[in-house]
Amino acid sequence: MYLCDFAPEYVRAIQPYQPGKPISELARELALDERSVIKLASNENPLGTSPLALEAMNNALKEVARYPDGSGFDLKVALSERYAVSANQIILGNGSNDVLDLAARVFLKPGAAAVYSQHAFAIYPLLVQAIGANGISVPARDYGHDIAAMLDAITPETRIVFIANPNNPTGTIANTDDLLHFLEHVSRDVLVILDEAYYEYLPKANKTNSVTWLKQFTNLLVTRTFSKAYGLAGIRVGFGLAHPDVANLMNRVRQPFNVSSIGLAGALAALQDIEFVQRAYALNRAGMLQLTDGLRKLGIEYIPSYGNFITFHIAGDHSNAIKVNQSLLRQGVIVRPLGIYEMPCHLRASIGLESENQKFLKSLEHAIGELA
Ligand SMILES: *Cc1c(COP(=O)(O)O)cnc(C)c1O
């Protein structure tokens, strides 16, 4: 038999994740100048990276002949101080994607199940499928998670529930009371993953106290990332906070050096640069207003978003959304089509710099005009 036919059926059935198109790829395809292309497709930080983090990473370059500190000691100390948890509650990952993967590998196996919402982050079903476990997708409500229905969807085989808060790509958030009610009623033998990749972009009034909930709920895993507000997507650092027993198991299955030395140094410095995160927050708020204003003026419906991106609706047949996306690409603007999210009439744009948002809105107006 052919080697690849021995790979488990559930692995062969995986549809690979489609990342946002890189600027270099579009520039190559359309013979555009890279500098004229704007990428609003992967929720990256338009401000770039904290200068403190850049300096720390530069210094760390001198030591790259050595393996990183596999325990991530310094970063864990800083995180434990910041979040008032103990170091043995922290799991560091090669991006928070890695942390989610570790949780799936610890708690899932063929025959087990995981619950997530329709229109939720596409990585969840991928991780579940890679293990041969069953994914239970719960219909969304107004594009957001239907937390009560997710509770009802839990089966005896369910070991993980994924909750993205805010969710990507819809930007929706869950009501804090609903989340607490969920945590109080879900069986303690189900791991609840609160994926808070966009936490730093939330206004104070919308921030949950998820980290303090860890004291009460031994089955809670909170994940955060340095990829978004901290501007370190390329260096891949994220972390999870959980009960020490959960963290311990997750740390057993991770690669011993899953976070690079550059990543550890960059994240540690970025964590101290509070001013940078505040600037990222303020720019995002202003950019969100600019985009929602602009979309409204164009008569385009959007889903109110709490992230650093906004998802909007292209009226008519879903071929219209494809056409608008193609027109945007021709104009050097990369956004994210959402067909794989069962939202074929929607596109998602990340909030950029003011000038990028303006170019996006102008290009979108032109693209809509081309439809007529
Ligand atoms: C971007 C994102 C992540 C984080 O990805 P990293 O691996 O940390 O870069 C996690 N969850 C959601 C919902 C995201 O949008």
Side-chain angles (χ1 to χ4, degrees), residues 42-43 94-98 100 121 124 164 166-168 195 197-198 224-228 233 236-238 309:
S42 299
N43 301 343
N94 185 40
S96 57
N97 193 142
D98 187 28
L100 301 173
F121 191 39
Y124 308 152
N167 181 45
N168 170 18
D195 176 349
Y198 301 96
R224 302 270 177 94
T225 182
F226 285 94
S227 296
K228 308 282 161 57
R236 315 297 306 125
V237 191
F309 54 86

Side-chain angles (χ1 to χ4, degrees), residues 71-116:
S71 71
F73 183 84
D74 293 334
L75 181 56
K76 280 190 184 169
V77 167
L79 288 170
S80 64
E81 281 168 9
R82 173 68 54 88
Y83 293 108
V85 294
S86 62
N88 65 2
Q89 293 183 267
I90 303 173
I91 310 100
L92 300 179
N94 185 40
S96 57
N97 193 142
D98 187 28
V99 178
L100 301 173
D101 188 43
L102 296 174
R105 280 164 54 208
V106 166
F107 292 104
L108 298 179
K109 59 185 177 184
V115 168
Y116 42 76

Side-chain angles (χ1 to χ4, degrees), residues 29-324:
E29 285 172 4
L30 298 182
L32 297 171
D33 182 347
E34 282 198 19
R35 285 163 302 185
S36 72
V37 175
I38 60 170
K39 185 182 174 202
L40 302 175
S42 299
N43 301 343
E44 293 143 339
N45 192 326
L47 281 179
T49 305
S50 140
L52 295 185
L54 284 177
E55 192 191 339
M57 291 190 288
N58 226 335
N59 288 333
L61 267 182
K62 297 176 193 120
E63 295 293 329
V64 290
R66 302 206 180 277
Y67 279 100
D69 171 9
S71 71
F73 183 84
D74 293 334
L75 181 56
K76 280 190 184 169
V77 167
L79 288 170
S80 64
E81 281 168 9
R82 173 68 54 88
Y83 293 108
V85 294
S86 62
N88 65 2
Q89 293 183 267
I90 303 173
I91 310 100
L92 300 179
N94 185 40
S96 57
N97 193 142
D98 187 28
V99 178
L100 301 173
D101 188 43
L102 296 174
R105 280 164 54 208
V106 166
F107 292 104
L108 298 179
K109 59 185 177 184
V115 168
Y116 42 76
S117 174
Q118 180 191 21
H119 311 315
F121 191 39
I123 295 293
Y124 308 152
L126 262 182
L127 296 175
V128 174
Q129 190 177 0
I131 286 167
N134 300 317
I136 301 173
S137 176
V138 177
R141 201 167 149 181
D142 298 329
Y143 296 108
H145 291 29
D146 185 339
I147 299 289
M150 289 176 78
L151 186 62
D152 290 341
I154 291 171
T155 58
E157 291 74 35
T158 301
R159 293 279 78 80
I160 291 182
V161 177
F162 290 96
I163 298 175
N165 198 45
N167 181 45
N168 170 18
T170 59
T172 49
I173 50 170
N175 174 296
T176 301
D177 290 340
D178 291 349
L179 278 180
L180 268 175
H181 181 270
F182 179 91
L183 284 164
E184 279 157 6
H185 289 83
V186 69
S187 167
R188 290 290 182 273
D189 60 17
V190 174
L191 181 74
V192 178
I193 303 182
L194 259 189
D195 176 349
E196 298 184 325
Y198 301 96
Y199 190 81
E200 295 79 11
Y201 287 112
L202 288 170
K204 239 199 179 106
N206 296 109
K207 281 188 159 135
T208 60
N209 288 321
S210 50
V211 175
T212 63
W213 297 348
L214 290 168
K215 292 200 185 79
Q216 204 179 336
F217 304 109
T218 54
N219 57 329
L220 176 63
L221 169 65
V222 175
T223 62
R224 302 270 177 94
T225 182
F226 285 94
S227 296
K228 308 282 161 57
Y230 289 99
L232 287 169
I235 211 82
R236 315 297 306 125
V237 191
F239 61 96
L241 306 174
H243 186 275
D245 293 346
V246 171
N248 180 307
L249 282 173
M250 289 172 63
N251 275 313
R252 287 192 217 183
V253 298
R254 74 176 172 84
Q255 291 182 32
F257 304 110
N258 63 332
V259 184
S260 72
S261 49
I262 310 260
L264 290 171
L268 180 62
L271 195 63
Q272 318 305 330
D273 198 344
I274 291 166
E275 194 258 351
F276 179 82
V277 176
Q278 281 170 347
R279 270 204 295 143
Y281 171 83
L283 182 79
N284 191 62
R285 297 289 287 179
M288 184 68 82
L289 273 179
Q290 187 187 357
L291 286 190
T292 51
D293 261 9
L295 290 171
R296 224 175 291 122
K297 282 182 188 135
L298 294 174
I300 293 175
E301 273 180 48
Y302 59 86
I303 306 170
S305 170
Y306 292 88
N308 65 345
F309 54 86
I310 186 142
T311 288
F312 54 96
H313 182 258
I314 304 297
D317 185 74
H318 68 77
S319 67
N320 280 356
I322 295 171
K323 284 180 200 154
V324 168

